[in-house]
Amino acid sequence: MKEIILSTVVKVCSYEELSPADRQLTDAAREAAKKSYAPYSLFNVGAAVRLDGGEIVCGSNQENAAYPSGLCAERTTLFWAGAQHPDKAVEAIAIAARDKDGEIEKPISPCGACRQVMLETEMRFDRPMRIILYGSRECYIIKGGTKELMPLSFSSDFLK
């Protein structure tokens, strides 16, 4: 039997330590969280992606009384970007959340379904996206893309 060791490098920083471009993208995600429709969980999530060429596209979670019918901010954003800009790769994604008390202090991480969509987006354009997870006390930056968040992932390679 052999053992495989998987590791992920996450850079931890304050909002002020983010580059101007990363702050701009994070601010867009923070604003998107304010537009979320989350009457059931009261947990508002916003996402923003920067496309090739610098355009920023935003989205937020959208809940439904029939819970499976809702959609997370990351998928809302990536699907909108893919539908409106099918030929532009996603350079980076920022994710921010707030609850009834305001912005959460620690960064949230995308759910498994969102990670799968993020991975597919990267595979579509054959390049990883920079991932910025915002919290009011600290931010996480993952440079290596979604495989850093989901190293044993399912991809189209299994379907061949």
Side-chain angles (χ1 to χ4, degrees):
M1 179 182 315
K2 74 177 187 176
E3 191 174 279
I4 298 172
I5 298 172
L6 304 171
S7 63
T8 299
V9 176
V10 177
K11 182 178 180 182
V12 180
C13 65
S14 68
Y15 170 82
E16 291 76 22
E17 292 175 300
L18 293 172
S19 71
D22 285 350
R23 280 197 306 271
Q24 179 188 33
L25 190 63
T26 299
D27 288 344
R30 292 167 67 194
E31 284 301 312
K34 293 177 184 175
K35 297 174 184 173
S36 158
Y37 178 70
Y40 308 104
S41 70
L42 304 177
F43 193 72
N44 306 92
V45 181
V49 296
R50 183 183 309 107
L51 304 174
D52 273 345
E55 184 172 353
I56 293 177
V57 174
C58 301
S60 59
N61 61 320
Q62 301 294 309
E63 292 182 349
N64 191 289
Y67 283 110
S69 299
L71 198 61
C72 299
E74 299 90 333
R75 285 181 280 160
T76 300
T77 305
L78 289 168
F79 290 154
W80 174 256
Q84 298 302 309
H85 306 280
D87 299 325
K88 291 187 178 181
V90 174
E91 294 179 354
I93 184 169
I95 304 161
R98 54 189 306 113
D99 60 20
K100 62 181 175 51
D101 298 322
E103 291 183 328
I104 62 168
E105 292 183 356
K106 290 208 162 238
I108 63 161
S109 187
C111 73
C114 288
R115 291 176 192 213
Q116 188 67 42
V117 170
M118 291 166 65
L119 180 67
E120 185 76 18
T121 301
E122 291 174 340
M123 292 173 56
R124 180 178 179 178
F125 295 103
D126 195 30
R127 65 191 261 198
M129 64 179 83
R130 180 179 174 84
I131 302 168
I132 305 159
L133 306 177
Y134 171 82
S136 63
R137 293 190 72 174
E138 63 186 13
C139 300
Y140 296 165
I141 299 172
I142 297 99
K143 289 184 180 181
T146 307
K147 287 202 178 238
E148 293 291 319
L149 296 177
M150 199 164 77
L152 297 175
S153 55
F154 182 82
S155 72
S156 60
D157 294 340
F158 293 107
L159 302 174
K160 295 177 182 172

